[in-house]
Amino acid sequence: MTDYLSLHSRLAQVGQEHLLKFWPELSNDERVELVRDIEELNLDEIKQYFDRATVSMNENGIKLDDRLQPLPEGKLISISRAPVEKVAAYRDEGLRQISNGHVAVLLMAGGQGTRLGFDHPKGMYDVGLQSRKTLFRIQAERILKLEELAEEANAKRGHITWYIMTSEHTVQPTYDYFVANNFFGLKAENVLLFEQGSLPCFEYDGRIILDEKHRVARAPDGNGGIYRAMKRQGILDDMQKRGVLYLHAHSVDNILIKVADPVFIGYCVQEKAECAAKVVEKAAPNEAVGVVAIVDDKYQVVEYSEISAKTAEMRNSDGRLTFSAGNICNHFFSSHFLQKIGSTFEQELKLHVAKKKIPFVDNAGKRLTPDKPNGIKIEKFVFDVFEFAQKFVAMEVPRDEEFSALKNSDVAGKDCPSTARSDLHRLHKKYIESAGGIVHGDVCEISPFVTYAGENLASQVEGKSFTSPVYLRDTRDPLHGHL
């Protein structure tokens, strides 16, 4: 058992000895839990974290207008305005890399579907498609289809490794779900789950909050926690061992995600990019979305609140918004760059602070939930590594083809199950019509086993007429209902 006095003196050195104030009242098991919580805190880092975080909190609200530049022409390609043969060449390059086993996907899937009224990992959510496929299943099937397309193009089957970042609350249910569904046809050894880290919650004076008498209050460290987690949990080593050179990282909640998109991968490979972002054109100057831009000669995502309305409304001579590159949490990294982040730059990542209502234990040992913010949670953001890239590029993609987020319940009317569903229906209807078919009505779903992104559909749909609800399925798709 850890010696109380030595633990107290270590905590006292960093002003956190209050974490032991209920020690005499704790059972042996509770003492073990508390010691474990304290051991998991890197005490030398804690003070530094708090100091860095409060500096960033004081900088919040400073407008960046004078230091801001849009992405230069040569760093941003728009897929809808690029020559068709150029896009095809990128796709060929991407498929070649997949065939060689050089591509992996990093899925950020730590969140639960709480805002959807769903108390399971968000990837297990059934959006209400005819197939009843969940987000996890749709994405798994897109990976399988892509492996097949790459094999057809290059006569060589390469596997796309799927790294899935979960949180401590979602790791077990996610794993159980994959096992119950036989990994959706993927090889189990190519699907690796790992856990996001957490950071302690602080009072405004820098003292760590106790969640219970024997538990430290902690919160997930944000999607920027992937870099530390990948290093600590052996993912970077695993990439090296497998010969993975390129990683496509994205969040779980975009139903239109082109998983391991060969066009994006191919573009980044040909540009020799270390790091890249997919962006969509901002819908309006006041759309509350971060934009990828340059601040003080470094690439970064600038939040909507960090620029004035005047700057947000600036337009180029062609009428398009000057700062239009909307960030959608869809990124490319070379494995070499990720190794550099893991070994060096992770320690320099910006810390973002949110004032929150954090449950705490009062002096009498009673757990209270405050009605106004009483402390801070610290988060890191995945895009804060952009500034460390020597070679950064961006690709603008059509929103209606590649981005429909699932964040809210239907009551919100946007970024919700009904918008996700109708966006997918609209895209799949477009695929059929582009391949020479006609669709009467709006409900239209195509299995990922049939097409990854609208390719090779003509033989099935050309000259044919379909009436909604349409569901084009493959022999591998179950005939009915739940999966």
Side-chain angles (χ1 to χ4, degrees), residues 44-168:
D44 303 327
E45 262 184 358
I46 290 299
K47 169 124 179 57
Q48 189 193 347
Y49 259 122
F50 180 77
D51 293 345
R52 276 175 57 211
T54 42
V55 167
S56 88
M57 187 160 63
N58 297 331
E59 283 173 357
N60 284 354
I62 298 174
K63 300 288 184 200
L64 298 174
D65 300 48
D66 301 340
R67 295 153 53 198
L68 199 62
Q69 291 171 289
L71 292 177
E73 285 284 300
K75 296 287 184 186
L76 175 68
I77 187 171
S78 165
I79 282 302
S80 50
R81 295 192 289 280
V84 176
E85 58 279 8
K86 205 172 192 179
V87 177
Y90 294 147
R91 185 175 182 271
D92 291 346
E93 176 73 61
L95 291 174
R96 192 159 51 247
Q97 297 296 344
I98 289 167
S99 280
N100 289 329
H102 291 163
V103 176
V105 170
L106 173 61
L107 178 64
M108 292 172 253
Q112 286 173 297
T114 320
R115 277 158 67 183
L116 296 161
F118 179 70
D119 58 359
H120 301 287
K122 203 190 266 188
M124 289 167 60
Y125 189 73
D126 167 3
V127 182
L129 298 172
Q130 298 165 83
S131 63
R132 315 304 299 182
K133 289 179 181 178
T134 61
L135 295 169
F136 278 144
R137 182 177 284 272
I138 291 167
Q139 291 170 30
E141 290 178 358
R142 284 180 189 155
I143 288 173
L144 277 166
K145 180 63 175 177
L146 202 46
E147 290 178 347
E148 287 166 19
L149 289 171
E151 186 177 18
E152 282 165 27
N154 300 289
K156 184 178 178 189
R157 180 80 180 222
H159 293 294
I160 296 169
T161 308
W162 203 13
Y163 299 112
I164 301 176
M165 183 178 82
T166 61
S167 60
E168 61 176 326

Side-chain angles (χ1 to χ4, degrees), residues 367-379:
R367 192 174 189 267
L368 303 174
T369 303
D371 50 11
K372 58 178 199 289
N374 63 319
I376 61 172
K377 290 183 177 180
I378 300 175
E379 278 191 318

Side-chain angles (χ1 to χ4, degrees), residues 73-272:
E73 285 284 300
K75 296 287 184 186
L76 175 68
I77 187 171
S78 165
I79 282 302
S80 50
R81 295 192 289 280
V84 176
E85 58 279 8
K86 205 172 192 179
V87 177
Y90 294 147
R91 185 175 182 271
D92 291 346
E93 176 73 61
L95 291 174
R96 192 159 51 247
Q97 297 296 344
I98 289 167
S99 280
N100 289 329
H102 291 163
V103 176
V105 170
L106 173 61
L107 178 64
M108 292 172 253
Q112 286 173 297
T114 320
R115 277 158 67 183
L116 296 161
F118 179 70
D119 58 359
H120 301 287
K122 203 190 266 188
M124 289 167 60
Y125 189 73
D126 167 3
V127 182
L129 298 172
Q130 298 165 83
S131 63
R132 315 304 299 182
K133 289 179 181 178
T134 61
L135 295 169
F136 278 144
R137 182 177 284 272
I138 291 167
Q139 291 170 30
E141 290 178 358
R142 284 180 189 155
I143 288 173
L144 277 166
K145 180 63 175 177
L146 202 46
E147 290 178 347
E148 287 166 19
L149 289 171
E151 186 177 18
E152 282 165 27
N154 300 289
K156 184 178 178 189
R157 180 80 180 222
H159 293 294
I160 296 169
T161 308
W162 203 13
Y163 299 112
I164 301 176
M165 183 178 82
T166 61
S167 60
E168 61 176 326
H169 302 297
T170 61
V171 63
Q172 197 58 49
T174 300
Y175 178 73
D176 293 345
Y177 181 66
F178 272 78
V179 169
N181 286 281
N182 201 20
F183 291 84
F184 308 106
L186 294 163
K187 290 189 171 167
E189 65 265 26
N190 295 328
V191 181
L192 280 83
L193 273 60
F194 68 105
E195 265 182 74
Q196 177 177 13
S198 62
L199 288 170
C201 303
F202 293 93
E203 292 179 47
Y204 296 127
D205 63 1
R207 295 191 336 153
I208 293 170
I209 294 174
L210 276 175
D211 182 58
E212 295 175 49
K213 291 180 187 179
H214 66 291
R215 295 308 304 263
V216 168
R218 293 188 305 189
D221 57 3
N223 55 21
I226 62 171
Y227 306 109
R228 174 173 287 212
M230 286 174 84
K231 183 176 185 186
R232 285 190 168 175
Q233 302 202 30
I235 300 298
L236 293 180
D237 292 342
D238 186 79
M239 286 172 68
Q240 222 160 9
K241 199 170 72 204
R242 290 172 186 259
V244 169
L245 302 180
Y246 310 110
L247 195 81
H248 182 204
H250 62 86
S251 55
V252 73
D253 59 8
N254 175 9
I255 197 168
L256 301 185
I257 187 74
K258 288 185 173 171
V259 187
D261 177 14
V263 176
F264 187 39
I265 305 272
Y267 166 63
C268 295
V269 169
Q270 291 199 355
E271 289 289 328
K272 298 186 171 54

